[in-house]
Amino acid sequence: MSVSEWREAKLCDIGEIVGGGTPSTKEESYYGGDIPWITPKDLSTHNERYIYRGEKSITEEGLKNSSAKLMPKGTVLFSSRAPIGYVAIAGKELCTNQGFKSLIPKNGVADSEFIYYLFKHKKSDIEAIANGTTFLEVSGSAMKNISILLPPLPEQKAIAATLSALDDMIELNNQINKTLEEMAQAIFKSWFVDFEPFKDGEFEESELGLIPKGWRVGVLGDIIDIFDSKRVPLSNRQRSVMEKKYPYYGAATLMDYVDNYIFDGVYVLLGEDGTVMDEKGYPILQYVWGKFWVNNHAHVLKGKGVFSDEYLYILLKNTNVASIVTGAVQLKINQNNLTGLKIMIPPEDVVKQYNDVVKDIFACFRSNADEIKILISLRDTLLPKLISGEIRVPVEEVV
């Protein structure tokens, strides 16, 4: 099969472009039903190809009284505004808000997974045709008229199968890591929240409630070192160069100087200001390792002494860090509030036991995450070459 068998087509030739809608939020009866209702926000943290539900669902009444449309399983969702370019495949019947221009592929013409990868490949091209004053948006007519190069259906499926094999491994590793982190959290909660291994011992009152005798209330500054003075603000140009060599953490920012410090090891990063906090004001927490750069929007932390970075990471996951966020317009966690955060401090031998239990969990977590990075790099290298026909997939080898 030669690339000459590929044909030029418009999106409207291979499927139906469908918008979405939002039922009136004033009508409680429109929400909480059995119909999944997807918004771009739902895709902002969604890392899998298929999506089955969003944060909210709507009722039949809500569907009938809005411009939302029920779309079949296999519909390819593409966010067309705020922001442009989130992509997922409907894993079941669902609908979206008006922030999408979704494509329902024609049977026998287009394959859902191929279109999913095609949209990922053409994201920048689609963004370029967006317009608007308040925010950029891709119109339905513009979406319909996007030109593509379409392989025969068997080759579409072969291309999608090749890329999906990599995504299958990525998604599996992500799921394993989610389970590993949940295990570490469950052990932490059992030991340091519910005190299950210590229930037969004596307890005493503290300002944080009853705690095992011999434990104490302290502050986060007692068990951490902060490396904020070693952060590296970068210009956009410097960041683009450095990111090719080492990961760069923290929100994008424009700075005009840089020193030569590279972090190397295991650290915990905690959002310092509003650029690395979620929409509810909760700081983003990251467990990172290896060599990397950090800009001036995140606190760089390490556990002190027996208080390992893994212990610190799970501790912060179970601590109301949002309680020390200040600022009305620009949310912020200053260093004094962070180091003064009240925490319970167990005896060192108990912390050592916890470290021994979870060290293999986190070693596996890091290994899986490193493999994910390699798989993502391979997928992202292959994607444009397969979608353009530069690299061909033997159709007969695809089951």
Side-chain angles (χ1 to χ4, degrees), residues 220-221 223-227 300-305 312:
L220 191 63
I223 68 166
I224 65 169
D225 287 317
I226 300 183
F227 294 82
V300 185
L301 313 174
K302 279 190 75 69
K304 187 186 298 182
L312 174 60

Side-chain angles (χ1 to χ4, degrees), residues 87-290:
V87 189
I89 304 171
K92 60 186 292 187
E93 276 193 331
L94 51 72
C95 57
T96 72
N97 75 353
Q98 62 273 25
F100 289 86
K101 298 296 181 293
S102 303
L103 186 142
I104 304 174
K106 289 182 180 178
N107 288 332
V109 176
D111 176 73
S112 294
E113 290 193 350
F114 175 81
I115 299 303
Y116 168 85
Y117 290 113
L118 177 72
F119 279 172
K120 281 191 164 290
H121 173 60
K122 292 187 74 67
K123 175 187 173 183
S124 296
D125 294 339
I126 298 174
E127 283 179 319
I129 63 173
N131 53 54
T133 52
T134 305
F135 50 78
L136 291 177
E137 181 174 9
V138 182
S139 69
S141 60
M143 197 77 174
K144 290 176 183 178
N145 286 299
I146 290 173
S147 295
I148 64 168
L149 192 60
L150 188 72
L153 188 60
E155 193 165 2
Q156 291 179 45
K157 292 180 179 292
I159 291 169
T162 301
L163 296 169
S164 289
L166 295 170
D167 272 328
D168 284 341
M169 290 186 281
I170 292 167
E171 290 173 13
L172 176 60
N173 278 347
N174 276 325
Q175 185 58 54
I176 291 171
N177 274 5
K178 180 183 176 183
T179 301
L180 288 171
E181 187 171 315
E182 288 172 350
M183 289 169 57
Q185 287 228 51
I187 297 167
F188 184 96
K189 185 175 183 296
S190 170
W191 285 33
F192 305 115
V193 178
D194 299 330
F195 309 119
E196 289 179 359
F198 316 103
K199 281 186 174 177
D200 293 335
E202 293 184 59
F203 282 73
E204 54 190 10
E205 286 287 350
S206 77
E207 57 188 300
L208 295 180
L210 281 174
I211 61 174
K213 190 172 182 178
W215 298 32
R216 68 183 178 90
V217 173
V219 294
L220 191 63
D222 294 337
I223 68 166
I224 65 169
D225 287 317
I226 300 183
F227 294 82
D228 289 1
S229 62
K230 298 290 188 180
R231 294 178 304 190
V232 184
L234 300 172
S235 70
N236 287 339
R237 182 186 61 80
Q238 290 167 328
R239 186 171 62 253
S240 66
V241 172
M242 296 305 177
E243 282 180 337
K244 293 177 182 177
K245 194 168 185 180
Y246 304 114
Y248 181 63
Y249 297 98
T253 184
L254 184 61
M255 292 291 179
D256 58 3
Y257 64 94
V258 63
D259 66 21
N260 59 0
Y261 194 86
I262 300 174
F263 289 91
D264 189 4
V266 180
Y267 291 81
V268 177
L269 306 183
L270 180 72
E272 176 181 342
D273 65 27
T275 56
V276 280
M277 294 182 194
D278 65 22
E279 65 278 0
K280 295 180 181 177
Y282 284 86
I284 295 172
L285 185 67
Q286 292 174 286
Y287 172 72
V288 301
W289 58 93

